[in-house]
Amino acid sequence: MHLFQQAAPELGNQYHEDRVLRAYLQRHLPPDLLRAWEPALTAMGALAGGELYRLQQADRLNEPRLTQWDAWGARIDHIELTPLWRVAERLAAEYGLVATAYDQSLGPWARPLQFALAYLFHPSTDIYTCPLAMTDGAARTLLQSGNQALIERAVPHLLSRDPAQFWTSGQWMTELTGGSDVGRAESVARQDADGTWRLYGRKWFTSAATSQMALTLARPEGNPPGVRGLALFYVETRDAQGRLRNIEVLRLKDKLGTRKLPTAELLLNGTPAQPVAGLRDGVRQIVPMLHLTRTWNSVMSAATMRRGLALARDYARKRVAFDAPLARQPLHVDTLAGLQAEFEAAFHLSFWLAELIGRDEHGQLAEQERYLLRLLTSIIKLTTARQAVAAASETLESFGGAGYIEDTGLPVLLRDSQVLPIWEGTTNVLALDLVHALLQRNELPLLGAAIRERVAAARDRGLQAAGRQALAAYEHAAAWFAAAQEAGRPAVEAGARRFALTLGRALALALLIDQAQWSLDRQQDGRARAAALRFAQLGVDQIAAEDTALSQALADDAPLPTPTADPA
């Protein structure tokens, strides 16, 4: 008896098969530099679609394990990582996924190259990019702090390509009082008679709890409440004998996704620490870290979307339904086309952000451009994170029932995507961050100029029409912001999310148009054009009329009087 056997989706070399990544690098990198780095990119692409992907599937049921006590009753709080993560740690060091960004010989292209490698690495390593993002942020924060002792002590480890010397860094900010509202942090720093600072408090959510060091916030005794009274401290988690330094791991968090990542609740009970740069304004000192971790979040959103598409596209060629492969079924084709357009938009947003950071680190941005970069980290992170969750859900649905079955390895795409709009600032927090920055100094015209510059490149008539749509969305957002300011701060805050998403999608469309015209001119390839036109069809302008009274009634589910007349 012959039984039907459905072939599973497969992956090839993820660098060779990624048209969008290769076209971006071809366009933006000097040819000699790209030739020099293509072997590493090719090798990472082969790992991501081969050995690492197979290990990820085999490692599916493994999770980190916490052993709090040894056989003789000693408190050890040992966390055992999974086989995939142990391999990922070695590869991250050897491929320089942090170190590449600090290679001065690469100039401003160091960041695009670093993120190209990380983008390939991420989908097959179950969020090992989380500790890498924090490590990158810690290295940048320490280098900018001017604390030479800490720079000499920690940075060589953070940038090492030797797995035996490589350190990752934690980022211990979240307490029970809140995540984004760090000014309410309760951790206290006390100084011993010998000058040693010690930290006391509970850190409710610390990712990468196995890292060798961490940067954390605490309030030195006597400091005022609020953000200004917090200081940034450097902590090495273990002593020379490998024992935790007055740190107790209370538990590992039981999370929806990112389950390979050892996220812990920690008790600091006299943990030795060193101030990074003075005893106040610690939140201001972590801004470089936040800019980088939000950029990592953006790039990994695009990477996750790309992985889902690669699997869905291969499956569509193999799966036959109603006498034809899914890849030839018009409605399924329409679904995949929409996913591809959203992915390409997220890719160009996130890599433009990486490009700007690379230029900024090499002193190539003017003051106004640096302010624009500050706005973009919020806009692009929130836009790409929302795209990633929607794309992951659509990707699973494209597999039908198989997308809901754990041992296909597909559901993890959705679970892990959901963290992207939550970590490093939720969508609402980042939208508020954006409008508060603009209320202090309205540099929105800088973003408008960037959009105009990119749509001006279009000579293709279809791209020109899409460019007018991008500009109209931006101008609508700018007009809304001006009117909302007149109405008062509550009106600005109530519409902040739609405002931010409109700016993000308008910018994404402009970047797609710019890339599409280049592809038509240099590659005689119309696929980037198709992505731009399809993205324009998916909706850019999210601005809507606000009625705060109606919104409050709906949010509270409170009684609302019947209108006396039809509002229309």
Side-chain angles (χ1 to χ4, degrees), residues 540-554:
V540 177
D541 193 339
Q542 310 286 305
I543 300 293
E546 290 291 333
D547 187 323
T548 54
L550 291 179
S551 296
Q552 191 67 62
L554 285 172

Side-chain angles (χ1 to χ4, degrees), residues 63-64 85 127 130 205-208 252-264 415-416 419 423:
E63 294 186 10
W85 262 49
I127 312 290
C130 175
F205 200 93
T206 62
S207 292
L252 293 181
K253 296 294 190 178
D254 188 9
K255 298 166 294 177
L256 169 69
T258 67
R259 299 186 69 89
K260 292 287 194 302
L261 174 63
T263 305
R415 286 202 308 274
D416 285 358
V419 82
W423 282 359

Side-chain angles (χ1 to χ4, degrees), residues 116-154:
L117 286 167
Y119 162 91
L120 293 168
F121 173 84
H122 166 80
S124 295
T125 54
D126 289 342
I127 312 290
Y128 192 78
T129 47
C130 175
L132 297 181
M134 294 186 294
T135 301
D136 193 355
R140 178 55 56 194
T141 299
L142 291 176
L143 287 168
Q144 292 190 3
S145 73
N147 188 325
Q148 200 58 37
L150 291 182
I151 291 170
E152 293 174 3
R153 168 64 181 162

Side-chain angles (χ1 to χ4, degrees), residues 176-190:
L176 279 169
T177 50
S180 300
D181 189 5
V182 294
R184 299 176 62 204
E186 296 177 336
S187 294
V188 173
R190 299 185 183 126

Side-chain angles (χ1 to χ4, degrees), residues 122 126-130 205 207 255-259 261 263 293-294 296-298 300-301 304 381-382 384-386 388-390 392 411-427 430:
H122 166 80
D126 289 342
I127 312 290
Y128 192 78
T129 47
C130 175
F205 200 93
S207 292
K255 298 166 294 177
L256 169 69
T258 67
R259 299 186 69 89
L261 174 63
T263 305
T293 52
R294 287 171 180 172
W296 277 82
N297 204 99
S298 302
M300 300 321 135
S301 293
T304 303
K381 189 273 186 184
L382 71 85
T384 56
R386 300 300 305 174
V389 175
V412 71
L413 290 170
L414 181 56
R415 286 202 308 274
D416 285 358
S417 292
Q418 187 59 66
V419 82
L420 295 166
I422 295 175
W423 282 359
E424 308 306 331
T426 64
T427 305
L430 292 178

Side-chain angles (χ1 to χ4, degrees), residues 11-12 14 43-53 120-121 123-124 307:
L11 296 173
Q14 293 300 282
M44 183 61 80
L47 283 168
E51 178 186 340
L52 266 180
Y53 180 58
L120 293 168
F121 173 84
S124 295
R307 170 54 55 87

Side-chain angles (χ1 to χ4, degrees), residues 80-101:
E80 180 70 21
L81 298 175
T82 76
L84 174 64
W85 262 49
R86 292 196 295 270
V87 170
E89 181 177 34
R90 173 179 60 79
L91 291 173
E94 292 174 349
Y95 277 84
L97 294 188
V98 179
T100 297

